[in-house]
Structure formats: structure tokens, C-alpha cells
Amino acid sequence: MSQQTPQPGPYVGAPFDPEHDPRASYVFEPEYAAALTSRIVSTVAETALSHSPCNGQPLAVIPQSSDDDVRAAFERARRAQAAWSRTSLDHRAEIMLRLHKLVLDRAEEICDVAVWESGKARKDAYLEAYHVALTARYYARTIHRHMDSQRRPGVVPLATRIDVNRVPKGVVGIISPWNYPFTMALCDGLPALMAGNAVVAKPDSQTMLTALLGAQLLEEAGFPKDLWTVVAGPGSRVGTRIIENADYVCFTGSTATGKRVAAGCAERLIGCSLELGGKNPILILRDADIETAAEGATRATFSNAGQLCVSTERMMVADEIYDRFVERFVARTEAMVLGPGHNWETDMGSLISQDQLDTVKAHVADAVAKGAKVLTGGKHRPDLGPFFFEPTILEGVTEEMTCFGNETFGPVISLYRFHDETKAIAKANEGNYGLNASIYSRDGKRARAIAREIKCGTVNINEGYGATFASLDAPMGGMRESGMGRRQGAEGIHRYTETQAVGTQRGWGFRPVPGMSNETFAKVLTLNERLMKKLGRA
């Protein structure tokens, strides 16, 4: 595996000198960081210092939000939402398309901030900007399809008219994770805005600046002030306050935390959508193109250092091609370029934190101690940065090993040889998760038939995750303990609305005419029902 050293970007201040106090040299110029952090709703003196996982260098001082600040953020958002909900769909779409242009124009800046703050490779950071641009364009272009009032059949033809409206929930609370700090901070909130809601966002404390840059771009595009407010602080406190004040909650993160979010929302009888963990399988069938599958499996497993909810951690390979496939998969993995992802040549960057590194190291050490074989990787690389870990392929993983059924969320995959496709499908469905799966086969029709048997919210054929995730009209979400609700498509915007039926009655109304008995009226209704059935009316 190759390695690279970081190259300074346009927002870098004085060079980092690890021999001296790191607090003396910040990555971002103070004015740049201050402009971003000023968007946090905070009236208290409490702050937190953020550091880059690339090299430990400090990034910014992050103001923290108190309970009163969170309540104030919701009050401001409610005032802004009341006016915003009365704007036209075309007006909202116009602003959203300006955001689309801004994101593409500022993609280099977005990449710089995301790389320094999350440690990811630059090409993975760019995909965040690209995904937000896709989302903005999609909802701007399809807003009338999703939000226009719809006519439905009335009980009495011509006499009864039914209109179904989509009414905004109000203020949506969005709690987003660190692994994709730009797209996860924005992509769920954009349809909420388009539906007429306001947003109070709580990005993960490790990646506040990237999310705040998104908030700045929203305002520059023309979204009203206070329509999107940002609060900061520990999830155990600030996240709880969001649940207590929101009209709907969108959460992306671990299954354990998601269950607590769902319980809090249930207590208030408000809705929520949860995109949670996964132990995602990939099936390499006997008729798969080996080179295509090896390339796709490498991306599916090691993109963003495996810190991706839809990345692959379990791989089932048909016996007929197992040895040839594994040879190519290992070779492609060992050819990856590792290092801080400031340039475009890096394939895999850093893990986010010491906690994440400890989890990956523990999973690999446990598997090896219990008999698993490391085909490549398996080592911490402090020579590249504090939290780097090599992309790792394990063989011989069994049920008693921690990584067998528990999400690693790092650059580690377990290989399994299969002889029977039915048993491979059953193995793919093992456990409680059901987020994403992949199938590689030259026979697309057969692969799609197998996909229907996989208990995952998204299944990609001859691709790891991009086919579904980048297709904005396709819903994305998990089954079982991988979550509830869907982002993207119609489901991704309708979750932020209440459905309202409006009935208009013409003529006498739905009651007996003068002089008609209730018994006769009942007979008329029965005759009408028989006629509607004969005419094929719904």
C-alpha cells in the first residue's frame, strides 16, 4: 500500500509543527473559522476545541449551545417557518437551484474543509458535494410532482370533490453524523425546506465546520435567515432537547442511539426517520466478471475508510471463482494509496478518532486471536497519522468473533466461500441489520430476482452502493434494526408533511332529501354501491 503526506490547501494558516504546542497553529485562518462558528446559536461561554484526525492539528474553537439556546433556536425557526410556508413552490425551487450552483462552484472549498475535519480522501469528500448538488437539483425540479395538491375520487361522482394536500410538519430537527459531514448535514434537510418546513440542525461535534459551511451556503443561496439554525454540543444533552422541541426528527447514526431517539419521539407522538447501522453483505456469484467485481468490492469496502453506513463488511464468494477473485481483490487492495487525503491521488484516508481506531484494532485482534487469517492489512499506521489503519481482508471469520455480526465501521471485511446460492442468501440475511447489499453477476435478471430475497432496504447490482444512493428518485433506508423511514425520492420529502384531505360537497349533501326516510336512503346507497362496482369505479 502506498502512502502520501498532506499538501496544504487554500485555507491553511501557519505550517503545523508537532514539536511545539499544536494550539499555536490552527489549520484554518481565525477569521474563516469564526465566520462559520458564528452561525451556532450560543449565548454561553462554554467552548470545545476541534482537531483534525489527519495529524492532530487544531481546527477551531466551537461555541456550545445551552438548553436555552436550543429552545431559542426553535423559536427563531418557528417564526421563519411561518412565513416560509406561505411561499410558492417555484420560489423555493429557484433558491434551491442557486444552492445547486453554489455547491458546485465551491466544491474545492467544501473538499478542503471536509478532508481536514474528517480525515477522508479528497475524492470521497467531493462525492459529498456532488450528492448535495444532486439532491438540490432533484427536489427543485420535482417539487410540483411531490407537493402539488392531488385530486382523488369522491364518494358521489360529480357531487363530491376530494383534494389531498401536503402540509409541512413545522420545524424539523436533524441530528447528523461525522462520517459524511457535508451531505448528511444537508441532504435530509433540503427536502424539509422544500416542503415548507424550517430546520434546527445538530451536526456531530467532530465535524461542525463542514456542516456550518453548508449552512452558510444555504443563506448565500437566498434561504431566509433562521430557516436553518445550528446548535452544538453533546448529543446526550442537545439531541435530547431537539427531540423535546421538534415537530419531526431525522437521525442518522448508530442503532443503539436510534432506538433512544425513537423512544423519545414516541413519548411525544411525533414522527421520526432513522438511518442506522449495518453489517452489509456482498455476493459475488459464479458468473460475475472477476475484474469488475474486484474493483467494485474494493470501493464498496474501503471508501471513506469503511466509515460509511452502506459500506460492505461481509463478502460471500462463489466457490467456482473464489481463488481467482480473492487474488484480484487482495491485489487491488494492496495497490491503494493511503495517507491524508488532501490531493486527488489518495484512495483512503484516516479514521475519525481514537475511539474508532480502538474499535477497528479490537475487532481485528479478536478475530486473529480466534483463528482468522489476515490476507492483507491489519495494521495501525501511526507513521501516516494518529488514526490510520490499513485496509484489511480477513478469511476464516466465525460466529464467536466480535466482527462476525457486529458493525466494525472501518476498513475491514470478512470473506466467506459458498457452494450453494440459497445458503449464501441465507447468510446474507443473518443478523438484525438490513441496510444495503450488493450482488455481482453477468445475469442482471437473475441478480434482480435474488435481490428480492435479500432483507435490505437497498440492493445494488454490479455496484457497491452508488447505483441506489446517487439515484435521487430511489428511496434509501434500512429494514429491521438498520432503521425506519426513507430518504430521497417521494418518501424523502413526504416524511416531512402531514397529509390533509379536503372534501367539497355539491348539491344537497350526503343525507336524505326532504321527505325521504332513512331506510329509503340506505336502499339508495346500496343501489349506488352496486352500480359503482358494475362500472368499475374505485
Side-chain angles (χ1 to χ4, degrees):
M1 298 166 198
S2 304
Q3 62 188 48
Q4 292 189 350
T5 55
Q7 299 298 317
Y11 306 97
V12 178
F16 176 54
D17 182 359
E19 299 298 322
H20 299 87
D21 180 7
R23 293 170 186 263
S25 175
Y26 284 77
V27 167
F28 300 108
E29 296 289 356
E31 295 81 4
Y32 181 80
L36 295 178
T37 58
S38 66
R39 297 180 178 279
I40 298 172
V41 180
S42 175
T43 58
V44 293
E46 184 182 357
T47 60
L49 182 64
S50 66
H51 295 82
S52 173
C54 296
N55 54 15
Q57 191 169 352
L59 298 175
V61 175
I62 309 296
Q64 302 294 283
S65 303
S66 67
D67 292 355
D68 287 341
D69 290 329
V70 176
R71 283 189 287 269
F74 274 92
E75 290 172 2
R76 288 162 51 178
R78 290 196 188 285
R79 289 193 293 269
Q81 190 272 333
W84 177 249
S85 65
R86 294 190 290 270
T87 61
S88 70
L89 298 180
D90 289 335
H91 176 67
R92 300 174 200 172
E94 180 183 351
I95 299 176
M96 193 65 74
L97 289 175
R98 288 204 294 267
L99 176 68
H100 172 270
K101 182 179 185 302
L102 269 174
V103 169
L104 294 178
D105 289 347
R106 304 271 285 278
E108 288 293 332
E109 178 184 355
I110 295 165
C111 289
D112 286 335
V113 179
V115 167
W116 276 111
E117 198 167 41
S118 69
K120 65 177 59 190
R122 191 173 194 82
K123 63 181 183 180
D124 293 329
Y126 171 77
L127 291 178
E128 294 204 54
Y130 179 66
H131 186 255
V132 169
L134 284 179
T135 304
R137 176 171 56 84
Y138 170 78
Y139 283 111
R141 295 303 192 195
T142 61
I143 186 61
H144 284 286
R145 187 213 308 174
H146 299 314
M147 288 295 294
D148 280 351
S149 296
Q150 296 182 352
R151 289 285 297 274
R152 301 285 176 85
V155 62
V156 181
L158 302 179
T160 307
R161 167 177 170 157
I162 295 295
D163 294 276
V164 177
N165 301 325
R166 292 284 178 178
V167 180
K169 293 274 190 181
V171 180
V172 174
I174 294 182
I175 304 173
S176 59
W178 49 261
N179 60 324
Y180 274 74
F182 190 73
T183 191
M184 291 294 100
L186 292 185
C187 73
D188 286 315
L190 298 187
L193 297 183
M194 290 300 291
N197 299 281
V199 168
V200 173
K202 196 212 88 65
D204 189 274
S205 59
Q206 298 172 99
T207 51
M208 286 295 302
L209 295 179
T210 314
L212 288 166
L213 175 55
Q216 176 179 297
L217 295 178
L218 286 167
E219 189 169 321
E220 289 181 19
F223 286 101
K225 183 177 175 59
D226 293 336
L227 194 66
W228 186 290
T229 57
V230 181
V231 293
S236 57
R237 178 174 59 79
V238 177
T240 300
R241 298 292 90 79
I242 286 178
I243 295 170
E244 292 172 351
N245 287 275
D247 299 307
Y248 186 93
V249 175
C250 174
F251 171 81
T252 303
S254 71
T255 295
T257 304
K259 289 179 178 180
R260 293 195 292 272
V261 172
C265 291
E267 185 68 25
R268 295 190 55 230
L269 292 179
I270 62 170
C272 65
S273 53
L274 312 169
E275 202 246 81
L276 309 176
K279 192 71 179 176
N280 304 308
I282 182 170
L283 280 69
I284 313 296
L285 305 186
R286 62 180 178 273
D287 66 342
D289 181 282
I290 289 177
E291 201 61 39
T292 298
E295 186 279 329
T298 304
R299 284 187 294 105
T301 305
F302 302 123
S303 290
N304 205 43
Q307 300 169 120
L308 174 59
C309 55
V310 291
S311 67
T312 298
E313 294 195 9
R314 299 182 293 143
M315 183 180 295
M316 279 66 81
V317 185
D319 180 65
E320 294 92 331
I321 64 170
Y322 184 89
D323 293 332
R324 287 178 291 149
F325 170 81
V326 171
E327 179 184 3
R328 294 305 304 140
F329 182 41
V330 170
R332 281 190 168 273
T333 301
E334 291 180 342
M336 292 175 64
V337 176
L338 310 184
H342 303 280
N343 56 50
W344 292 98
E345 287 70 39
T346 301
D347 292 312
M348 195 183 92
S350 173
L351 294 169
I352 185 71
S353 66
Q354 185 66 49
D355 285 346
Q356 206 64 31
L357 174 65
D358 290 345
T359 297
V360 173
K361 290 170 64 176
H363 279 205
V364 173
D366 173 77
V368 171
K370 294 174 180 175
K373 180 181 178 181
V374 178
L375 299 185
T376 190
K379 298 184 183 67
H380 176 209
R381 294 294 300 275
D383 56 310
L384 299 177
F387 311 131
F388 280 83
F389 195 89
E390 293 178 339
T392 302
I393 303 173
L394 300 177
E395 192 176 53
V397 171
T398 54
E399 292 185 12
E400 68 271 15
M401 300 175 188
T402 305
C403 69
F404 178 82
N406 295 292
E407 185 179 29
T408 303
F409 215 63
V412 180
I413 190 165
S414 306
L415 301 187
Y416 304 90
R417 184 192 298 257
F418 73 83
H419 306 278
D420 184 307
E421 281 185 2
T422 301
K423 291 182 179 179
I425 293 168
K427 192 172 188 66
N429 288 331
E430 286 180 349
N432 298 320
Y433 291 119
L435 187 56
N436 179 64
S438 306
I439 302 171
Y440 275 80
S441 169
R442 286 188 173 95
D443 188 340
K445 182 178 180 181
R446 187 168 71 93
R448 286 189 291 274
I450 292 173
R452 295 181 67 88
E453 301 181 50
I454 304 293
K455 297 177 181 177
C456 288
T458 55
V459 181
N460 292 264
I461 310 299
N462 295 325
E463 168 57 31
Y465 54 83
T468 53
F469 199 82
S471 300
L472 270 294
D473 207 38
M476 186 269 169
M479 299 181 183
R480 301 184 286 176
E481 290 198 0
S482 286
M484 53 191 286
R486 295 291 184 269
R487 65 164 52 98
Q488 304 187 169
E491 294 93 331
I493 189 169
H494 287 166
R495 59 179 163 164
Y496 299 126
T497 65
E498 299 285 4
T499 306
Q500 178 192 65
V502 178
T504 304
Q505 187 65 38
R506 301 181 181 90
W508 179 253
F510 202 69
R511 64 186 190 277
V513 298
M516 179 185 288
S517 68
N518 288 329
E519 182 180 6
T520 301
F521 183 59
K523 291 178 180 179
V524 170
L525 292 180
T526 299
L527 288 172
N528 180 75
E529 182 59 23
R530 295 187 191 281
L531 177 61
M532 291 300 102
K533 178 184 176 184
K534 187 174 182 179
L535 294 175
R537 293 291 299 269

